[in-house]
Amino acid sequence: MNIDPLSDGHIHTHFCHHAVGTMEEYVTAAIVKGMRRICFLEHMEEGIQSSRITWLSEADFDEYFRLGKALQKKYEGSITIALGVEVGYNPECSDRLLERLAARDWDQIGISYHFHRLQADEDHFNVVSKSDRRVFNISLQEAEEIQRQYYRLLIEAVHILPGTLLCHMDGVLRYYPERGRLAPPWELIDQLLETVAQRGMTLELNTSGINIRGEAFPGKEIRMRAEEKGIDFQAGSDAHRPEDIGYCFERYVNT
């Protein structure tokens, strides 16, 4: 597996309401670390009911692009700054997501799936977060079905959305206490990888997983299967603080 350790393709800022630091603070931190390229990948969600907002509004994206373009000019010659989006798939709002994506000139479109409906009358359940306490209370049977639905909907998302990157592929239920008992649905994982390959997308090596489980997302077995299908990798720290840029990239160079 080959990655560029001097390019970080997944960075968040204060715009997403759960990260800290301005865009410029991330840029200057990246320059100090000797990075050649960074890509901001801010959250887009549509139709999600949640008391905790972790994504940008259209007004936020207007300001994000205004500041980002200014930083590209200011730091031209020092570092390449890309402006991307991490779009969370919601099958109920796919048309609206397509409209919003088509309205802007993104340098990169990352696809992910964060929010799941447990019950029709409840707020969406964030399947990749520990801030939603429901992750600690679901049964093993419920977790198995959430995991299968996660991969089924990622397959659908990759077919429908104009994505260039698949983010933190096996990050579903990463804080579930019984996660070690969940058997990976390999038939769905292989189908997702095949779809990624057919679409010519890149698979993210997301090093935020190291602090959570001691290994990047996705795990080694998935990475091996992806390589067999000729899928390229891109390193992303999923930084939520400027100091997290490029986190542990060196661990995965030529592995």
Side-chain angles (χ1 to χ4, degrees), residues 173-204:
L173 296 176
R174 52 193 173 188
Y175 296 105
Y176 179 53
E178 301 294 324
R179 194 180 195 282
R181 297 175 60 193
L182 291 175
W186 288 112
E187 75 283 3
L188 291 173
I189 290 171
D190 284 335
Q191 186 178 346
L192 175 56
L193 289 172
E194 186 61 36
T195 308
V196 167
Q198 291 172 355
R199 299 281 288 184
M201 291 176 62
T202 299
L203 187 62
E204 179 182 63

Side-chain angles (χ1 to χ4, degrees), residues 30 47 90 104 117-118 147 159 166 168 173 229 234 241:
N90 181 353
R104 300 183 191 271
R117 283 281 199 189
L118 286 173
Q147 181 178 238
H159 274 296
L166 182 62
H168 47 69
L173 296 176
K229 297 180 185 300
Q234 176 180 293
R241 304 177 304 171

Side-chain angles (χ1 to χ4, degrees), residues 14-107:
H14 68 95
F15 276 117
C16 72
H17 311 290
H18 62 286
V20 296
T22 65
M23 294 179 78
E24 187 160 18
E25 286 173 330
Y26 284 86
V27 172
T28 56
I31 292 172
V32 168
K33 290 189 175 186
M35 306 297 286
R36 289 193 295 255
R37 178 185 182 275
I38 59 171
C39 181
F40 292 104
L41 211 66
E42 289 289 22
H43 288 289
M44 176 186 288
E45 301 284 349
E46 185 67 38
I48 301 302
Q49 295 183 13
S50 173
S51 60
R52 184 170 183 255
I53 304 302
T54 58
W55 57 87
L56 281 67
S57 66
E58 282 300 300
D60 290 333
F61 275 119
D62 287 341
E63 183 67 1
Y64 165 70
F65 267 88
R66 186 189 71 79
L67 290 173
K69 295 293 186 183
L71 291 172
Q72 287 174 338
K73 292 180 180 179
K74 181 175 180 178
Y75 291 96
E76 186 177 6
S78 298
I79 191 170
T80 299
I81 302 169
L83 303 176
V85 61
E86 180 183 357
V87 54
Y89 185 60
N90 181 353
E92 298 174 3
C93 299
S94 57
D95 288 344
R96 176 58 181 152
L97 288 171
L98 286 169
E99 289 175 4
R100 293 180 67 187
L101 291 172
R104 300 183 191 271
D105 186 16
W106 310 99
D107 292 316

Side-chain angles (χ1 to χ4, degrees), residues 118-252:
L118 286 173
Q119 302 290 337
D121 59 346
E122 291 184 353
D123 282 357
H124 285 85
F125 169 45
N126 191 331
V127 299
V128 299
S129 174
K130 63 181 177 182
S131 64
D132 192 326
R133 303 306 296 178
R134 286 175 289 182
V135 73
F136 301 104
N137 299 317
I138 57 176
S139 68
L140 185 61
Q141 182 178 358
E142 288 175 316
E144 288 173 343
E145 179 51 37
I146 289 170
Q147 181 178 238
R148 293 186 65 83
Q149 183 71 346
Y150 171 88
Y151 285 110
R152 283 194 292 261
L153 287 174
L154 278 181
I155 292 167
E156 183 177 310
V158 170
H159 274 296
I160 291 174
L161 301 178
T164 58
L165 176 74
L166 182 62
C167 300
H168 47 69
M169 176 176 160
D170 64 346
V172 60
L173 296 176
R174 52 193 173 188
Y175 296 105
Y176 179 53
E178 301 294 324
R179 194 180 195 282
R181 297 175 60 193
L182 291 175
W186 288 112
E187 75 283 3
L188 291 173
I189 290 171
D190 284 335
Q191 186 178 346
L192 175 56
L193 289 172
E194 186 61 36
T195 308
V196 167
Q198 291 172 355
R199 299 281 288 184
M201 291 176 62
T202 299
L203 187 62
E204 179 182 63
L205 177 77
N206 188 308
T207 56
S208 71
I210 293 171
N211 277 331
I212 299 168
R213 64 179 191 181
E215 183 179 21
F217 301 116
K220 185 175 182 179
E221 176 63 28
I222 292 178
R223 297 199 301 269
M224 290 174 59
R225 294 180 184 223
E227 287 186 289
E228 290 173 357
K229 297 180 185 300
I231 297 172
D232 292 329
F233 290 84
Q234 176 180 293
S237 64
D238 212 336
H240 284 62
R241 304 177 304 171
E243 59 263 37
D244 292 336
I245 287 178
Y247 177 67
C248 286
F249 284 5
E250 69 282 355
R251 186 180 299 190
Y252 293 95

